[in-house]
Amino acid sequence: MNRVSVTIAVNGQPFTASIEPRQHLADFLRETVGLTGTHLGCEQGVCGACTVEIDGRPQRSCIAFAAACDGSSVRTVEGFDDDPTMQELREAFSTHHGLQCGFCTPGMLITSRDIVRRCGETDERTIREELSGNLCRCTGYMGIVAAVGSVCRGKAPQVKAPPAATPVRAAAVHLPEPAMAATAPRSAARPSAAPAPAAAAFGASAATTAGDGAGWTAIDQSITVAATPDAVWEALGDVRRVASCLPGAEVETLEGEALTGRMSVRFGPIKARFAGEGTVRRDEPARTGRVTGAGRDSGSGSQAAGEVVYRVAAAERPDSTTVAVTIRYRLTGTLAQFSRGALVQDFVRRMAETFAANLSASLAPGADGIPPQAVKPAEMNVLAMLVSVVAGRIRRLFAGR
């Protein structure tokens, strides 16, 4: 089984270990380092129980690969014993009865400390929104909100940007490699720092690239646009026009094949605004193209990388065009849970349908070429789209009875 060597500074102490590429940071902290203050709840990045600090920012350790944290500085709940703000929060949680079973408390405390230091004195509504990514089954949140509010009171924001990562080149603690279980070996996905090339030719099958890196997901989708192939191919060459057809997308600069832009996403109380850069390449004779890019949301610390390969061809209906699309992507950080599960495929299909409808509208005779989303840019509301997807599944389920 392939293994990788990582060195991670945990609570100021460097640890070096040989691990499987698929091991999550939470498992590394609990099983390899032996710090069990980090609790595992949903293991999908939703409940917040496993929250730790990675390079100064709260992150979900159950959806962060330990291999991706190589060279980073991680701080767990055990590492805040000498922190004045954390000491205030612990006392406030006790005073205001902000804990019962205590399972969510380590993650709650780390998130609460970030709120105090980043927001300073603030109102209850802001505290509730900031805490919305940490779930508690016991308290009803009243005591937790009161505790955070009491510590925030009278304080000014203390940090504006995450501190630099703690160097981990010091003499590290070398952790023993765990004994291998006496079972048949399982293949482990190898980590990948960037998307692998789609194929030698843009229009090659996506099967040649799917699943060739840890954490990557590949989805094939075919959309139909109510316009001629010539018109669709020309429209897809206008990157700003294409972006205007996708809610939340915005192209900032475009120079040759290089571009920079933003993508706004909202999932319930979680808001993300990915800023990044990418490249656009097109093969005129084959009518195929490829768009690659990567970006980061400074608020949640989530990172995204992706690749879209498309081919334009005439559809069966007159004056219609089929665009075959392969989407490959990887999310890390708070939003990584949205890349999991079967629902994401339905979500991507719904998003593709929205894009196709907007592109068709922009190409309709007499249209000004600008769909409604481009007039007033909006965030992509992931929660609303997923609710719509689930509702559609339920309707199909009952219709089949």
Side-chain angles (χ1 to χ4, degrees):
M1 181 180 295
N2 294 331
R3 301 180 73 85
V4 295
S5 177
V6 298
T7 299
I8 302 174
V10 181
N11 299 332
Q13 174 66 60
F15 289 88
T16 296
S18 176
I19 63 172
E20 296 181 22
R22 64 187 177 186
Q23 185 179 46
H24 292 147
L25 178 61
D27 292 331
F28 176 84
L29 295 172
R30 291 178 59 86
E31 299 173 10
T32 306
V33 181
L35 296 175
T36 56
T38 300
H39 293 170
L40 280 167
C42 67
E43 298 192 66
Q44 296 188 43
V46 176
C47 73
C50 67
T51 302
V52 299
E53 271 195 2
I54 303 177
D55 294 335
R57 285 188 178 276
Q59 302 277 353
R60 308 291 208 257
S61 61
C62 76
I63 55 174
F65 287 110
C69 297
D70 184 29
S72 294
S73 175
V74 175
R75 199 174 185 185
T76 70
V77 70
E78 294 96 337
F80 290 95
D81 287 347
D82 298 327
D83 184 84
T85 303
M86 185 63 80
Q87 183 60 36
E88 286 187 71
L89 283 166
R90 287 171 174 169
E91 294 175 359
F93 267 58
S94 178
T95 299
H96 294 276
H97 307 289
L99 70 161
Q100 288 186 33
C101 79
F103 193 84
C104 71
T105 304
M108 280 285 186
L109 285 170
I110 292 176
T111 300
S112 298
R113 178 181 178 273
D114 174 68
I115 296 171
V116 174
R117 290 170 54 80
R118 183 166 44 81
C119 301
E121 183 168 4
T122 187
D123 56 27
E124 179 180 325
R125 179 177 179 180
T126 299
I127 293 173
R128 287 183 175 275
E129 183 171 352
E130 293 284 343
L131 283 172
S132 60
N134 290 71
L135 306 183
C136 174
R137 298 181 64 181
C138 303
T139 66
Y141 303 99
M142 295 297 293
I144 296 174
V145 173
V148 177
S150 69
V151 178
C152 285
R153 194 169 299 119
K155 288 185 171 61
Q158 301 174 50
V159 293
K160 293 184 179 179
T166 302
V168 294
R169 299 187 184 89
V173 174
H174 289 268
L175 301 170
E177 186 168 323
M180 300 300 292
T183 58
R186 293 177 295 179
S187 59
R190 55 184 174 84
S192 175
F202 287 156
S205 169
T208 61
T209 61
D212 58 359
W216 288 87
T217 301
I219 295 176
D220 294 319
Q221 176 72 12
S222 180
I223 60 177
T224 301
V225 181
T228 64
D230 289 342
V232 172
W233 176 250
E234 181 181 356
L236 291 176
D238 185 344
V239 179
R240 295 183 186 278
R241 184 181 197 177
V242 170
S244 72
C245 295
L246 187 62
E250 176 186 355
V251 174
E252 294 182 322
T253 65
L254 178 61
E255 297 181 5
E257 294 182 345
L259 62 85
T260 63
R262 296 178 180 272
M263 184 72 182
S264 298
V265 181
R266 181 185 181 97
F267 188 94
I270 300 176
K271 300 178 182 178
R273 188 170 172 82
F274 289 93
E277 56 188 24
T279 59
V280 180
R281 297 179 180 177
R282 282 159 57 90
D283 184 339
E284 185 79 32
R287 287 196 169 176
T288 59
R290 180 171 64 189
V291 181
T292 60
R296 184 178 187 276
D297 170 47
S298 59
S300 67
S302 299
Q303 299 184 44
E307 172 185 76
V308 178
V309 179
Y310 63 87
R311 177 190 292 275
V312 174
E316 294 181 0
R317 297 198 306 268
D319 295 331
S320 293
T321 301
T322 296
V323 182
V325 182
T326 295
I327 302 171
R328 298 183 65 250
Y329 65 90
R330 180 174 67 177
L331 290 174
T332 59
T334 304
L335 298 178
Q337 66 262 29
F338 304 143
S339 66
R340 300 184 177 197
L343 278 178
V344 71
Q345 297 187 19
D346 283 341
F347 167 71
V348 170
R349 292 188 181 95
R350 185 64 57 88
M351 187 170 62
E353 291 170 2
T354 300
F355 171 79
N358 289 339
L359 185 61
S360 296
S362 74
L363 294 171
D368 58 7
I370 303 177
Q373 284 80 358
V375 177
K376 187 178 181 181
E379 298 169 337
M380 181 184 297
N381 193 325
V382 181
L383 182 59
M385 296 187 81
L386 285 179
V387 168
S388 177
V389 167
V390 173
R393 285 190 168 192
I394 293 175
R395 284 195 297 270
R396 291 196 297 270
L397 176 64
F398 283 95
R401 289 186 174 181

